[in-house]
Amino acid sequence: PGDLNVTVRGEDMHLRYPEGIRSTVDADLSLRGNVQAPTLGGTVRVKQATWTRRLDTSGGLLEFGSGRSGVETAPTPATSAIPLRFDLEVVVPSSLRVENNLARLVASADLQLRGTYERPVLFGRAEVDRGEVTFEGRRYLVTRGNIDFTNPSRIEPFFDVEAQTRVRVPGQTYQVIVRAVGTLD
């Protein structure tokens, strides 16, 4: 075929991708262009998603982001037989839950997937609506949290998360506020 113009609609589709995430989505997608340069566009609305993958924090606080996040990326091939480009909007209206050994969170996001099949790029923001994080045996209430995707050359989340807890010792109570800002690196 010379030109592509395919439209697909899916409702209540159950996915297990990426690894560690189970989700139910609705999607309105289109594949347009030609065989040499197709573009997959449209909107994916996440109705429900749960991330349950455990994170290894055995290295301690200062080594948490040094490649031990538990999220591994496969090496990208030098050339691909798939010349696909992305132009997708991913809408997550308070439907992403994180339930693992470190956190119980509910988040929402508005993201755009761009780039190519070999080099996808993610833009947009995810916000923590509510949740708690467990660290060093203590539970912290997340008071605010944003994850921004702004790097135009790779998928690299930038975190700005704040959490607090109360520590009681005989005769005194302390409020401890922790803030993490930056990339995993």
Side-chain angles (χ1 to χ4, degrees):
D3 290 327
L4 299 171
N5 189 3
V6 179
T7 304
V8 178
R9 168 178 251 163
E11 294 181 0
D12 293 326
M13 295 182 296
H14 298 282
L15 305 175
R16 289 182 182 258
Y17 181 83
E19 183 181 339
I21 297 180
R22 291 175 308 175
S23 59
T24 303
V25 302
D26 289 348
D28 288 309
L29 304 176
S30 64
L31 186 62
R32 301 193 192 282
N34 58 49
V35 176
Q36 289 78 29
T39 299
L40 179 64
T43 303
V44 176
R45 184 173 210 57
V46 179
K47 297 172 82 173
Q48 182 273 327
T50 305
W51 181 29
T52 57
R53 187 171 185 176
R54 293 181 59 82
L55 295 176
D56 178 20
T57 60
S58 61
L61 177 63
L62 298 178
E63 294 179 20
F64 178 70
S66 62
R68 297 185 178 189
S69 66
V71 178
E72 298 177 18
T73 57
T76 57
T79 59
S80 172
I82 303 172
L84 183 65
R85 296 194 63 77
F86 295 114
D87 185 16
L88 292 169
E89 180 180 10
V90 181
V91 179
V92 186
S94 298
S95 57
L96 172 62
R97 292 186 337 225
V98 175
E99 295 178 0
N100 61 24
N101 57 315
L102 291 181
R104 295 205 176 283
L105 303 169
V106 175
S108 52
D110 190 8
L111 305 170
Q112 292 80 41
L113 179 62
R114 302 282 191 259
T116 64
Y117 181 79
E118 304 89 24
R119 301 198 92 154
V121 181
L122 198 59
F123 294 104
R125 172 176 270 202
E127 296 182 2
V128 176
D129 297 331
R130 63 184 179 278
E132 60 185 46
V133 176
T134 302
F135 183 72
E136 298 287 331
R138 187 161 306 279
R139 188 176 72 186
Y140 290 81
L141 178 66
V142 176
T143 54
R144 67 179 181 80
N146 298 320
I147 304 168
D148 292 303
F149 297 89
T150 58
N151 189 331
S153 59
R154 66 181 180 152
I155 298 176
E156 181 181 51
F158 184 89
F159 297 89
D160 185 357
V161 180
E162 185 175 279
Q164 66 182 5
T165 191
R166 294 192 184 276
V167 177
R168 291 188 173 97
V169 294
Q172 295 180 334
T173 301
Y174 297 95
Q175 181 176 4
V176 178
I177 299 172
V178 177
R179 185 171 179 210
V181 178
T183 63
L184 286 176
D185 292 336

